[in-house]
Amino acid sequence: MGMTNRFTRIACLSATAALLAFPALAQTVKVTPLGGIDGEFCPQDRALVFEDPNGTRILYDPGRTVAGADDPRLGKIDVILVSHMHGDHVGNAHNKAPNSGSCDKPDMSVSALPNSSAVNIALAKKSTIVTGSEMPPFFAAKLKANGGDPAKSMLARFGGSVTVGGVRIATVTAMHSNGLDPDYIGGDLGKAMKDAGIAGDVGLATGYILKFSNGLVAYLSGDTGITADQDQVVRGHYHAKLAVMNINDLVKPASVIPSHANEVGTVSGKVRPGSKTEAFIKAVKVPAHVPLSGKTMEFDGAGKCTAGC
Ligand SMILES: [Zn+2]
């Protein structure tokens, strides 16, 4: 063995030792969609569970496809994120169980009013609900009214952040409406609001920026059109490497997960020809990974999918 070879070998050995000494370098964030039908991407699918390498589990927008707090796919949920108060995100109704209904006719037969699925799951799992804008007082009041701890509703203010379970959570603007349906208020006030045709004011809709312990920065767009913040804040300031979004490639991530397609996106786990999902995948210039319900994808700190895609 010549000097060069021996030197290379020593260098490799020390690189291996460094990886063993800092296991976080090799660790991934696991992303598992909790959609309506196992292995498919269906019209109502919104919910994703992010699991940090340290074990912290975050449920994003439970929507209508998580079968309430008893859904066996949930497991431990430390944090719940709600991008905005529309029923398909906070969860005004849901399926009886995973795989009830069909991909094109989702089951939404169980009402979650007046609490919402987000609140019911938070109460059962003792999760912290982290929202931005003016949504935290609403969730705090709901938790308190149901015997929960109002302090479990936390604010992630625009421009600031909170760290829960080792994951840093910030909110960004989303250009979308965010009126609170009077059905969540109920009583005489709820009825009066309904009769007047007005919704409750809980501030602006939001998106999220999550920084995981392996260094991965993910952008969850919420419902939004293109915003200037996507370029200046999401890409320029936070340097998001994984984006979960419907439209456009402004953010320049390393990977993107399309969401909220409002269509049957897959048939037998394959992208349906002629679908919006197919058009989106063709339009973006980075790898797009379709969120198939129950199929876990793993992402490294640079936003590259390393397994399950
Ligand atoms: Zn929506």
Side-chain angles (χ1 to χ4, degrees):
M1 185 192 289
M3 273 306 273
T4 318
N5 276 349
R6 192 161 60 194
F7 184 79
T8 310
R9 201 169 132 202
I10 290 165
C12 285
L13 283 172
S14 53
T16 309
L19 275 175
L20 290 173
F22 302 103
L25 289 175
Q27 287 178 344
T28 57
V29 172
K30 295 187 177 121
V31 183
T32 305
L34 302 186
I37 304 289
D38 284 349
E40 304 287 5
F41 179 39
C42 300
Q44 288 290 325
D45 291 7
R46 310 283 184 269
L48 299 173
V49 172
F50 293 85
E51 185 174 315
D52 189 273
N54 72 15
T56 296
R57 284 168 63 83
I58 299 175
L59 172 63
Y60 168 54
D61 279 355
R64 295 165 175 152
T65 63
V66 175
D70 294 333
D71 191 317
R73 302 174 299 178
L74 283 173
K76 174 184 82 123
I77 296 293
D78 302 291
V79 178
I80 298 175
L81 309 175
V82 180
S83 62
H84 64 291
M85 302 305 302
H86 291 170
D88 58 322
H89 295 261
V90 68
N92 61 345
H94 59 78
N95 48 358
K96 289 187 287 292
N99 303 308
S100 53
S102 60
C103 194
D104 62 336
K105 289 204 176 52
D107 170 28
M108 298 181 273
S109 57
V110 183
S111 173
L113 296 171
N115 279 356
S116 79
S117 264
V119 168
N120 288 336
I121 295 167
L123 288 164
K125 305 282 181 184
K126 302 201 177 348
S127 330
T128 302
I129 302 176
V130 180
T131 51
S133 188
E134 295 165 52
M135 293 180 274
F138 167 79
F139 287 112
K142 282 288 182 199
L143 292 174
K144 191 175 172 199
N146 288 281
D149 179 2
K152 292 286 231 177
S153 173
M154 286 177 68
L155 168 67
R157 196 183 293 281
F158 290 129
S161 66
V162 292
T163 301
V164 185
V167 179
R168 210 171 100 190
I169 303 168
T171 54
V172 291
T173 55
M175 299 304 285
H176 195 59
S177 57
N178 193 28
L180 181 74
D181 192 306
D183 285 343
Y184 297 104
I185 297 168
D188 290 343
L189 176 61
K191 188 184 177 306
M193 290 172 73
K194 214 167 201 175
D195 291 345
I198 57 170
D201 178 12
V202 287
L204 299 170
T206 69
Y208 287 94
I209 301 283
L210 306 180
K211 182 159 192 190
F212 295 95
S213 66
N214 70 341
L216 175 67
V217 179
Y219 167 52
L220 320 181
S221 73
D223 283 3
T224 185
I226 294 172
T227 71
D229 279 6
Q230 287 171 335
D231 184 34
Q232 297 192 355
V233 180
V234 176
R235 185 184 63 79
H237 178 68
Y238 289 112
H239 309 290
K241 291 288 182 282
L242 168 67
V244 178
M245 64 196 311
N246 300 5
I247 301 162
N248 89 55
D249 55 350
L250 199 60
V251 182
K252 295 190 173 62
S255 296
V256 63
I257 297 175
S259 184
H260 202 314
N262 283 353
E263 65 171 6
V264 174
T266 61
V267 175
S268 303
K270 297 270 172 283
V271 173
R272 185 170 60 81
S275 62
K276 283 185 281 180
T277 302
E278 183 192 56
F280 174 86
I281 291 167
K282 284 183 178 161
V284 295
K285 294 166 191 70
V286 296
H289 308 296
V290 178
L292 300 176
S293 183
K295 199 159 176 283
T296 300
M297 300 175 271
E298 299 189 36
F299 294 88
D300 66 15
K304 188 169 169 283
C305 185
T306 58
C309 292

